[in-house]
Structure formats: structure tokens, C-alpha cells
Amino acid sequence: MPTALITGASRGLGAAIARGLAPTHDLLLGGRPSSELDEIALELDGAATWEVELTDHDDLYSATEMITSLDVLVHNAGIGSLGTIEETPADEWRRVLEVNLIAAAELTRLLLPALRQARGHIVFINSGAGRRVNPGWGAYAASKFGLRALADAVRGEEPDLRVTTVFPGRIDTDMQQEIVAMEGGDYDGTRFLVPETVAAAVVNAIHTPIDAHPEEIVLRPTGRR
């Protein structure tokens, strides 16, 4: 079977994508060492954990060195950040850009030979913040606009690869609960996308016949379940 590497696979959307790809792909489940990552690997019999700190470039190099062919790379790992420009110091900008953009760029760079070998497919999980900026979301939106630029650049430079950017609206996950708490609101998950719905769109993009290139997918919650 083809091989897929999914970052941020221990919970939420990453775990849902892993479940969606499990019937058709050998899986490398990326994430920090955790019981959650081990549990999803056990659930998906045959999946392997790929334990790495994405912002540690030496660790990342070691973890990718033995991957010689890769059919699918899903960039799902990321962090949120809230604060006005006035409230956001340089260290927070560095933290957000390092995780959401630079780590994805470096992982892509290191895996390009393996992806070229398989004529593979890269999926970037972006955000609505990668298409528009709301007040208080400057650093996060900058990282997502940068991620969009990274995907567009790879698509132009690597014509033998397919590169898909997914722009989902808010998703009903643990991370979303933390964000709503930071915003000071009451959490109502029914207003947001179900992780499995976004995962299905990702899986469908990956399964798109090779004569087509699904470049961008935009998903917005309807508020209906």
C-alpha cells in the first residue's frame, strides 16, 4: 500500500485523517511522544508512530533520513495564538511562525526526494485565517498566509507533485475549546465543523484520480448537524 505521513496525528483532525486513510495507506503517525499517539496507533492496527519534535531541526533530520519514498504528506500540526499587535511580543511571533510555518517548510524540504520518488501528494491543513485576517489574530493569520505561500511555491516548483491546501472553518476539537476559552466565550461545538467532515475532504482529495490536481478546498460550517 502507499505510505502516508500525518503530523499532529494524536488527536482531533489529525486522528480523524489517520482513520480515514487507514484502509488504503500504511500510516506514519507524527506527534510528540504521548499516550494519545500510542492509542491511535493501536487502534489503527499496523500504523506506526513517528515521534518527533517538529521545531527541533536535528531531530527532524534524523526522523526523515530513512524515508526514501513517500506517497502522501499531510501537514496538520499547528498551534493557535490570540492577541492584538500591541499585545503580541516578538517571542510569540517566533513561536507561532516556527511551529505553523517554518517546521512545515523544513519537513517538506527534507522529504522532497521521497515525495518525488513516489510522485506524491502534499496536503497543507490551513485555516480560514489563511484567507482573511480578523482583529486579534495577527500572528496566527501571518503564519497561515505564509503556509498558503509555501504551498503555492511548492506547487509551482514541483510539477510532478500534487499540492492541496485545505481551508477549514472552525472545527469542534479540544484546541477549539481552548481558543474559545481564550476569547472568553461559551463553547458550543455544534456551531463548528466535525473533524470527520474535514478529514473526509482530505481523504477525497488524496483519492482524486491522478488526471486531476485538487489545489484548494474551502470548508465553512453551516451550524447544522
Side-chain angles (χ1 to χ4, degrees), residues 20-44:
L21 288 177
T24 55
H25 289 72
D26 292 324
L27 298 180
L28 295 173
L29 305 176
R32 296 187 182 97
S34 69
S35 59
E36 291 174 315
L37 190 64
D38 292 338
E39 286 168 8
I40 188 71
L42 285 172
E43 175 190 335
L44 304 177

Side-chain angles (χ1 to χ4, degrees), residues 61-69:
Y61 177 82
S62 298
T64 57
E65 196 172 13
M66 300 304 293
I67 301 176
T68 58
S69 182

Side-chain angles (χ1 to χ4, degrees), residues 41-118:
L42 285 172
E43 175 190 335
L44 304 177
D45 187 31
T49 58
W50 192 72
E51 299 177 353
V52 63
E53 174 53 66
L54 294 174
T55 59
D56 183 332
H57 294 177
D58 291 337
D59 191 19
L60 198 60
Y61 177 82
S62 298
T64 57
E65 196 172 13
M66 300 304 293
I67 301 176
T68 58
S69 182
L70 183 65
D71 299 275
V72 176
L73 170 60
V74 180
H75 288 290
N76 173 69
I79 57 173
S81 180
L82 284 176
T84 64
I85 300 303
E86 181 181 17
E87 296 166 339
T88 307
D91 285 348
E92 179 65 3
W93 281 87
R94 292 189 187 97
R95 183 182 78 95
V96 175
L97 290 170
E98 184 70 39
V99 175
N100 290 355
L101 176 58
I102 297 171
E106 182 65 357
L107 180 57
T108 300
R109 184 184 74 84
L110 292 171
L111 288 175
L112 276 177
L115 288 158
R116 289 171 183 150
Q117 176 66 30

